[in-house]
Amino acid sequence: MRRKIIIDTDPGQDDAVAILLALASPDELEVLGITCVAGNVPLELTARNARMVCELAGRTDIKVFAGCDRPLQRKLVTAEHVHGKSGLDGIALPAPVMPLQEQHAVDFLIDTLRAEDSGSVTLVPIGPLTNIATALQRAPDIAGRIGQIVIMGGAYFEVGNITPAAEFNIFVDPEAAEIVFGAGVDLVVMPLDVTHKALTTRPRVEAFRAIPGKIGPAVASWTDFFERYDKEKYGTEGAPLHDPCTIAWLLRPELFIGRFINVEIETGGAFTTGMTVADWWRVTGRKPNATFIGDIDAEGFFALLTERLARL
Ligand code: RIB
Ligand code: CA
C-alpha cells in the first residue's frame, strides 16, 4: 500500500537528497506535494530550490507550494553559513522552469488533509515547523486527520547545532514546534542524536558520484560542499545527512531504533530556547508524545540511499 506524503522543506542540500529519495521510491511513496518554508535560506530561494530538485529528477509534475516566509513570532534565522548563499551550493543547476502553485502551502495542507481519507496522509517536515503549525492553528480539525508526522529536528544527547542547546529547525520557530509536538498527532522525531550517526565518508560519497547519470554526481557535489562546515566544526570525516533519515524511516523503519517518550519544547529559556527536552529516561511522568529516534544502521541507510538514487 503506497503511503501518501507531503514533504515540507527548506532546501538545503540534505533536503534535496530527501526529496530525491522520496521521488526514487514511487512503489512505496506517493508525493502529493512539496510545501516550502523559510529556513536554511529565505522562502523565495527554498521555493526555487525545491523546483530545481524536482526538475533534476525529471519530475516537473510534482506540485510545489510556497508557504510561510518567517516564523510565527520570531525573526527568521537562516543558515547560509552551512548551505551557501543559494541554499543549494555545490553545483550550478539551471533556474527552474516549472511554476510554483498559486495556492499557499498552508491552504494546500489544510485542503489536502480534509480531502484525503482521514489518517491516510503522512506529513514529512524537514525544515522549521511554521507551515505545519499555521495549518493546525487555522484548521484545528486537521489534527485528527493527519496519519503521522515524521520530522527531522531536535536533539538530546547530541545537544544543539545552532546554539549549545537547540537544533536549527526547532530553534528557528520554537512556538511552531510547541504546537506540533502538542497536537496529539502520531509523531516520529529524527533528532541530531540519530542524524549525526548518518555521516558521509569518502567511500559513501564516491559511491554517489559513481552512480551513472546526473543525480549521483549532483548529490556527491552537494555533500562535498556542505560537509566542509561539519568537518571543520566537529572534526568528523564527513557530514550528517539529516533530512533523508525521515524518508529512509518511511521506507525501512527497521534501520532505526528509538523510544516513545515525552518531548517538550523550550520556548522561554534564556540560553535554551528551541531545546527539545526529551525525557529519554522517563523521569518526569509527563505523557509520551513522540517516538524519538536515537540510532541508525548507517551502512544500511547509505546502501538504501545509493540504490534508490540509482533508480532516478
Ligand atoms: O539541523 C539540521 C536541519 O536544519 C536540516 O533539516 C537542515 O536542512 C537544516 O534545515
Ligand atoms: Ca532542512
Side-chain angles (χ1 to χ4, degrees), residues 10 15 40 126-127 243:
D10 64 335
D15 302 68
N40 284 321
I126 50 177
D243 294 337

Side-chain angles (χ1 to χ4, degrees), residues 5 8 31 47 68 75 86 99 128 140 195 210 303:
I5 68 171
D8 189 77
V31 179
C68 299
K75 217 167 87 49
S86 75
T195 68

Side-chain angles (χ1 to χ4, degrees), residues 157-263:
F157 291 105
E158 192 64 18
V159 297
N161 62 355
I162 186 82
T163 73
E167 176 278 327
F168 179 78
N169 289 339
I170 308 297
F171 178 74
V172 169
D173 199 341
E175 285 73 24
E178 187 177 43
I179 289 168
V180 173
F181 277 67
V185 178
D186 179 350
L187 179 64
V188 177
V189 181
M190 290 286 160
L192 299 180
D193 303 33
V194 62
T195 68
H196 276 202
K197 295 171 183 167
L199 289 179
T200 56
T201 61
R202 277 303 94 206
R204 288 168 178 170
V205 174
E206 291 319 311
F208 291 151
R209 209 182 312 276
I211 297 172
K214 55 187 176 170
I215 300 279
V219 170
S221 302
W222 280 329
T223 47
D224 285 345
F225 178 84
F226 89 101
E227 141 179 302
R228 85 212 180 292
Y229 174 79
D230 287 87
K231 284 161 74 169
E232 170 68 29
K233 177 176 175 182
Y234 297 106
T236 47
E237 183 194 348
L241 268 184
H242 306 284
D243 294 337
C245 288
T246 57
I247 304 297
W249 186 86
L250 293 175
L251 297 171
R252 292 195 54 201
E254 70 276 10
L255 291 174
F256 298 87
I257 298 172
R259 57 174 75 169
F260 186 53
I261 58 170
N262 173 269
V263 181

Side-chain angles (χ1 to χ4, degrees), residues 14 81 87 93 150 157 170 190-191 210 267 269 286-287:
D14 60 319
H81 59 291
L93 285 176
V150 184
F157 291 105
I170 308 297
M190 290 286 160
T267 56
R286 286 196 290 259
K287 188 167 171 286

